Amino acid sequence: MAEIINNILDQEPAPDLKNFQRNRRLLWLSAAISFILALVGYIIILTLVF
């Protein structure tokens, strides 16, 4: 099994550093937007309840 995985990993090209950094920035941006939207939702719920 390990030999099969190593063969697959050997065939994969090395990740492009530019795309890796772009994807990382997009991931952090989407996480921040999700956090802000969740926070706004909680604030709206709290203002409606109290």
Side-chain angles (χ1 to χ4, degrees), residues 12-41:
E12 286 292 315
D16 185 18
L17 185 62
K18 184 178 178 183
N19 282 338
F20 178 76
Q21 289 175 344
R22 178 178 178 269
N23 290 340
R24 189 173 174 185
R25 280 194 301 260
L26 286 175
L27 181 65
W28 277 108
L29 180 64
S30 63
I33 290 171
S34 298
F35 179 74
I36 290 170
L37 288 177
L39 190 63
V40 168

